[in-house]
Amino acid sequence: MTLFVNGIPEISALSGRDLGRSEWREVTQPLIDAFADVSGDHQWIHTDVGRAAQGPFGGTIAHGYMILSWGIPMFAELLQVTGVGMALNYGVNKVRFPSPVPVGSRVRLHAVVSEVHAVSRGGLQMHRLFTFELGASDKPACVAESLTHFYP
């Protein structure tokens, strides 16, 4: 369920809030191939279906950065912010990819706002803990702390 907040004071009140989970997304070979084309990363474990079938994962796997890039649209399913002049992705801390994501897998985002604090120009920095859950695994596909700045 999407949470709607309006303005800097309501964003500030999110510190410590578990925002829940996004919808599941399926990892398909066409998505992996498209990401390979955009990123230039055509390593065989992602794009060579025949060779990957004989490899360590028994098939192709998604790029870790492809899964990480889903954080923005998946997070938008959980939180919508209005009443600000600008929002900027500030960076990502301590990204890890604990589990491979085989083609055909499903992934969803679990997001927690761990901290919100003031930054220059009347803005706020939101620390978001991202856990990309992998449908058929106890281990996540990716974990990261994502930082966003909001300005009035």
Side-chain angles (χ1 to χ4, degrees):
M1 184 171 201
T2 306
L3 176 65
F4 295 87
V5 296
N6 185 27
I8 298 295
E10 289 186 17
I11 296 168
S12 187
L14 293 175
S15 188
R17 177 106 183 235
D18 185 331
L19 298 177
R21 290 164 173 80
S22 71
E23 296 295 321
W24 290 102
R25 280 192 178 197
E26 184 177 355
V27 176
T28 66
Q29 192 61 51
L31 285 172
I32 292 170
D33 292 341
F35 189 85
D37 288 341
V38 169
S39 68
D41 180 356
H42 291 275
Q43 187 181 57
W44 65 269
I45 63 172
H46 306 303
T47 60
D48 188 333
V49 174
R51 185 175 177 192
Q54 304 306 312
F57 306 112
T60 56
I61 61 171
H63 303 75
Y65 286 110
M66 182 182 102
I67 301 304
L68 180 61
S69 76
W70 287 359
I72 299 302
M74 288 178 160
F75 189 76
E77 294 177 30
L78 304 176
L79 180 68
Q80 290 291 312
V81 176
T82 58
V84 296
M86 180 173 49
L88 297 172
N89 290 317
Y90 187 67
V92 182
N93 293 337
K94 196 175 178 183
V95 177
R96 299 291 184 266
F97 303 107
S99 184
V101 180
V103 70
S105 297
R106 295 182 331 141
V107 175
R108 70 179 175 186
L109 174 67
H110 178 208
V112 175
V113 177
S114 61
E115 179 185 346
V116 179
H117 65 266
V119 292
S120 64
R121 297 180 300 198
L124 293 176
Q125 179 168 281
M126 178 187 288
H127 295 244
R128 307 174 302 181
L129 300 180
F130 283 177
T131 303
F132 293 87
E133 298 175 344
L134 186 56
S137 176
D138 293 334
K139 290 172 62 176
C142 175
V143 292
E145 180 185 25
S146 175
L147 308 174
T148 301
H149 283 190
F150 295 93
Y151 297 97

